[in-house]
Structure formats: structure tokens, C-alpha cells
Amino acid sequence: PVQAVLLAESMRGGVARGFRALGGASLTFSALLLSLALGLSIATPGAVTLRILQILGGTFLVWLAVDAFRSGHEIDETSAPRRSLPPIARGSLAILLNPGAWLFLGAVASPLFTEASRSAGRAGALLAAMALIAGLAIGDGIIVLLGGIGLRRARRSVIVWTGHILAATLAALGIWLVVQGVTRS
């Protein structure tokens, strides 16, 4: 979901808008990773918390899809303010409301930081966090460049169809998350 948001934002408003969304996602996830590497751990998300995250995250993705369909996949060449969430907030919420991000923190990052801390102390855990942050920034930066430079230069029909596919993907992911959150026992 995060990469779909980044691609959609960069297609809509170019590289600058895409990198603003990436900034929100990266700052949010970096803060979570660094906090975890420093030993701040509230608790492993329980079943109820994950269900709530699925429902809220799914609703957010459906809202983004509806917003994308309403925009008509227009490319925003101006910096005029819109009556919508700014890209940095969209990126941040794509992390905060993504159950996959929280599962990654609990199931992958936490054991990784524990092992790094055992081997090289707190500095090792922070180094592991910085390596994850750098890897994510590179991968997500490529997604932004793909949307902001590559896809924006395509024919109008390619842009519209790509926008429709991204919006439908966001809607499908959102609906799936909501259904999972509501029906999971």
C-alpha cells in the first residue's frame, strides 16, 4: 500500500509531490524503527489492535482510491493548494495505518535489533535500523522517480489507465483489509 500511495502521488504531482509523500512515510517509519532500536517497545500489537489497524488502514486506502478516481487522474502542474490531505500526511498515514508495517516492526525488526544489540550493543541496533532506513529510502525513491519522471511522460491514455489501476489496487487492498478486520475472529 505504501508504494502504491507513493506512485500515485508522484504521478499526480511529479517528483516533488512524490518525494513529499516519501518524506512523510520515511520520517514516520524511521521514527518507529529508531525508537524500536533504542529499546522503546510498548507491546506487541494484539489481535484487537491489529483488527482496528486493518479497518482504519483499509478505510484510508479506500478513501485514497475514491480521491484518485474523483481527481480524474489529472496531473497537477501547479502548486495551488487542494482541499485534500497534503502528500506528507498521506505518506505518514500510509505507514501508521498499515498493519503490515506494524507486523514488520514486531516480527522482523524487533528480533533483528535484539540480535544486533547482543552482538554490537545499542550502536549495532542503531546501525541495523539505519541500514533498513537507507534500503527503504532507495527502493521507495525509485518508485517515486518511476511515477514522477517515467509514467508522467507517458501518453495521456497510459497515465489514465495507470491511475485507474492504482486506484483500483488501493480500493481492493482497502476493502480486503476492512473485510479481514471485520470478519477475523
Side-chain angles (χ1 to χ4, degrees):
V2 176
Q3 286 75 22
V5 169
L6 295 177
L7 188 58
E9 290 298 308
S10 61
M11 281 183 57
R12 177 185 267 176
V15 172
R17 184 179 177 114
F19 275 120
R20 286 193 303 272
L22 176 58
S26 294
L27 288 173
T28 302
F29 202 60
S30 295
L32 293 171
L33 281 172
L34 291 172
S35 296
L36 188 60
L38 289 170
L40 176 65
S41 177
I42 298 169
T44 303
V48 173
T49 303
L50 287 176
R51 286 179 70 182
I52 291 169
L53 278 172
Q54 283 180 313
I55 294 167
L56 291 175
T59 303
F60 175 65
L61 292 178
V62 169
W63 177 80
L64 287 176
V66 169
D67 186 52
F69 277 119
R70 278 190 336 195
S71 75
H73 308 290
E74 293 297 320
I75 296 175
D76 182 15
E77 299 291 351
T78 67
S79 59
R82 294 186 57 212
R83 296 187 72 186
S84 185
L85 280 176
I88 196 164
R90 289 173 184 245
S92 183
L93 286 173
I95 293 293
L96 290 174
L97 297 177
N98 182 355
W102 293 100
L103 287 173
F104 174 83
L105 289 169
V108 177
S110 183
L112 175 71
F113 296 157
T114 300
E115 188 58 35
S117 183
R118 281 187 196 140
S119 299
R122 186 166 293 185
L126 287 172
L127 186 60
M130 295 304 290
L132 285 173
I133 292 166
L136 288 169
I138 290 168
D140 288 347
I142 291 169
I143 296 290
V144 168
L145 292 174
L146 173 67
I149 294 173
L151 289 174
R152 280 177 56 97
R153 299 198 190 288
R155 290 183 313 197
R156 174 82 178 130
S157 62
V158 172
I159 292 170
V160 169
W161 276 104
T162 303
H164 284 290
I165 290 167
L166 282 172
T169 301
L170 286 173
L173 284 169
I175 291 167
W176 179 77
L177 283 171
V178 169
V179 168
Q180 289 292 310
V182 170
T183 61
R184 182 169 286 168
S185 52

